[in-house]
Amino acid sequence: MKGEAWLFTGTALFFGATTAVYRWLSDDPAGSSALCVSFVMSGLVAAFLWRQYRRGGERPEDRGDAEVPEAAGRRIFFPDRSYFPVLTAAGAALSALGVVQGLWLFLIGFGVLVPGVLGFAFQNLGHPE
């Protein structure tokens, strides 16, 4: 987690410096706003990763002398076959097309998207782990 935190901290610092220089040299408010939003988003990710690193400590991936079995922690159940990814993708595509084509297609896409997302969220409720 520490490596990822440093990566996003560097990205946030880059966007912060770029925003300041761009704002100073340019009168373009759209570019300044986009760079500022990029700085804020990468800063939020960096803050989250630093917080997680402080809470959980080093992971085996952070150490050079770690062994493969050390990383075997909590096991996650993945179903053998699920149609929810296809349903979610189709709903997202129809909703995106509906933004361009009309409200009727967006509503159809949203009607397909909601069961897909709910299926993703609740498909493992019956699993014992």
Side-chain angles (χ1 to χ4, degrees), residues 6-129:
W6 277 115
L7 178 72
F8 276 97
T9 301
T11 305
L13 292 174
F14 169 77
F15 278 125
T18 306
T19 302
V21 170
Y22 188 83
R23 184 68 184 146
W24 183 52
L25 296 176
S26 174
D27 292 331
D28 181 26
S32 300
S33 298
L35 285 170
C36 187
V37 167
S38 299
F39 166 69
V40 169
M41 289 190 326
S42 57
L44 284 173
V45 172
F48 171 76
L49 290 173
W50 280 113
R51 180 176 172 263
Q52 290 299 103
Y53 174 68
R54 282 193 211 106
R55 278 177 74 193
E58 280 192 338
R59 298 178 304 174
E61 293 90 352
D62 294 331
R63 297 191 337 257
D65 62 339
E67 297 291 328
V68 173
E70 290 181 45
R74 191 180 83 176
R75 295 186 182 180
I76 301 173
F77 170 74
F78 293 104
D80 294 335
R81 183 173 300 167
S82 175
Y83 296 105
F84 294 119
V86 176
L87 193 63
T88 303
L94 285 173
S95 297
L97 281 173
V99 170
V100 176
Q101 297 297 327
L103 180 64
W104 63 274
L105 189 57
F106 176 79
L107 293 175
I108 292 171
F110 191 73
V112 172
L113 181 66
V114 168
V117 170
L118 289 176
F120 258 136
F122 297 117
Q123 72 181 347
N124 295 333
L125 284 182
H127 195 268
E129 284 186 30

